[in-house]
């Protein structure tokens, strides 16, 4: 059973926008901490945006001012609104969630990724 799943990735042109979505299923919840990471072939995975339980956020320097992470706990969704996309934003984007699981405690979960391709 898929517990964290991303969607919304697409091929767009520079300057356009995309909204990535991440649904958290089952007993998991995005209430605590959630984040979006991205990775390109041959490079390390990097943190793009993170939101903590107190709603504080942190962004990759190059994403600051262009990307916005948000969540809807009622819908158990995490979003990444991306604007003014650049070719260097091209990557596979992953959703990460830290959730309290009954009888298990705190656990971290990753989605399988969604591809974003930005052409000039």
């Amino acid at each position: 059973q898929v517990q964290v799943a991303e969607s919304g990735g697409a091929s767009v042109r520079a300057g356009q926008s995309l909204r990535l979505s991440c649904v958290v299923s089952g007993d998991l919840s995005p209430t605590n901490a959630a984040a979006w990471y991205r990775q390109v072939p041959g490079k390390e995975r990097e943190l793009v945006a993170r939101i903590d339980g107190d709603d504080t956020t942190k962004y990759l320097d190059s994403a600051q001012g262009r990307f916005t992470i948000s969540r809807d706990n009622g819908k158990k969704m995490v979003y990444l609104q991306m604007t003014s996309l650049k070719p260097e934003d091209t990557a596979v984007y992953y959703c990460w969630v830290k959730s309290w699981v009954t009888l298990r405690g705190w656990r971290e979960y990753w989605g399988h990724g969604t591809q974003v391709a930005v052409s000039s």
Side-chain angles (χ1 to χ4, degrees):
Q1 182 178 49
V2 177
Q3 297 175 295
V4 178
E6 310 94 336
S7 64
S11 295
V12 300
R13 292 182 178 179
Q16 294 187 311
S17 301
L18 276 177
R19 188 191 195 192
L20 305 183
S21 298
C22 174
V23 61
V24 180
S25 63
D27 293 331
L28 305 185
S29 172
T31 304
N32 185 248
W36 287 93
Y37 286 77
R38 69 186 182 190
Q39 187 170 31
V40 299
K43 294 187 176 181
E44 297 182 356
R45 187 184 306 164
E46 63 181 352
L47 175 67
V48 177
R50 172 174 175 136
I51 183 167
D52 291 313
D54 60 0
D55 289 331
T56 57
T57 57
K58 180 173 68 177
Y59 296 92
L60 179 69
D61 287 344
S62 62
Q64 183 70 50
R66 297 189 299 123
F67 294 3
T68 302
I69 185 170
S70 63
R71 62 185 163 201
D72 185 327
N73 292 328
K75 295 182 178 180
K76 300 178 68 174
M77 300 284 290
V78 182
Y79 306 99
L80 182 66
Q81 179 66 47
M82 305 184 292
T83 62
S84 301
L85 284 164
K86 304 175 181 179
E88 50 264 43
D89 292 319
T90 296
V92 174
Y93 285 70
Y94 298 90
C95 181
W96 171 90
V97 174
K98 181 179 181 180
S99 180
W100 178 267
V101 180
T102 303
L103 301 180
R104 297 286 292 173
W106 292 106
R107 294 290 186 273
E108 299 179 14
Y109 299 87
W110 291 91
H112 292 298
T114 185
Q115 178 71 56
V116 172
V118 185
S119 60
S120 59

